[in-house]
Amino acid sequence: MSEVAAKLREVFVESLELDEDVNVETLKYRDIDAWDSVGHMALVAAIEDEFDVQFDTDQVIDMSSFKVAVDMVTQLQAANA
């Protein structure tokens, strides 16, 4: 697991108040009750704070899974480097 994925896993667990044993890596939007539209916005804000990145509207809408979030954060970090 990459460093981004490991940190992002922590953000997902904390932001969505998940049990530590939840397989975050396979998690998709609306798979669980906590990842509804309100939970999604809280998650996006937590990711932005943790990684010091800013998502545009399309990225917020397209963030449909943990994998997509990892890819987005990785791309944003590379673009800001």
Side-chain angles (χ1 to χ4, degrees):
M1 181 180 293
S2 72
E3 184 178 329
V4 168
K7 274 178 132 178
L8 199 55
R9 183 188 190 292
E10 293 175 18
V11 173
F12 267 70
V13 168
E14 186 175 313
S15 180
L16 297 175
E17 299 179 356
L18 304 174
D19 290 333
E20 287 291 329
D21 62 345
V22 170
N23 186 359
V24 175
E25 291 77 16
T26 61
L27 199 57
K28 293 185 176 130
Y29 180 60
R30 295 195 184 260
D31 271 357
I32 57 172
D33 290 341
W35 197 358
D36 59 7
S37 59
V38 174
H40 186 72
M41 295 312 295
L43 177 62
V44 167
I47 293 169
E48 288 179 335
D49 288 346
E50 177 67 30
F51 291 94
D52 194 28
V53 295
Q54 185 77 37
F55 296 111
D56 64 29
T57 303
D58 288 339
Q59 289 170 317
V60 171
I61 293 167
D62 291 343
M63 191 183 297
S64 57
S65 68
F66 177 80
K67 166 113 177 62
V68 170
V70 170
D71 292 344
M72 285 182 181
V73 170
T74 301
Q75 289 171 0
L76 285 171
Q77 285 185 325
N80 294 337

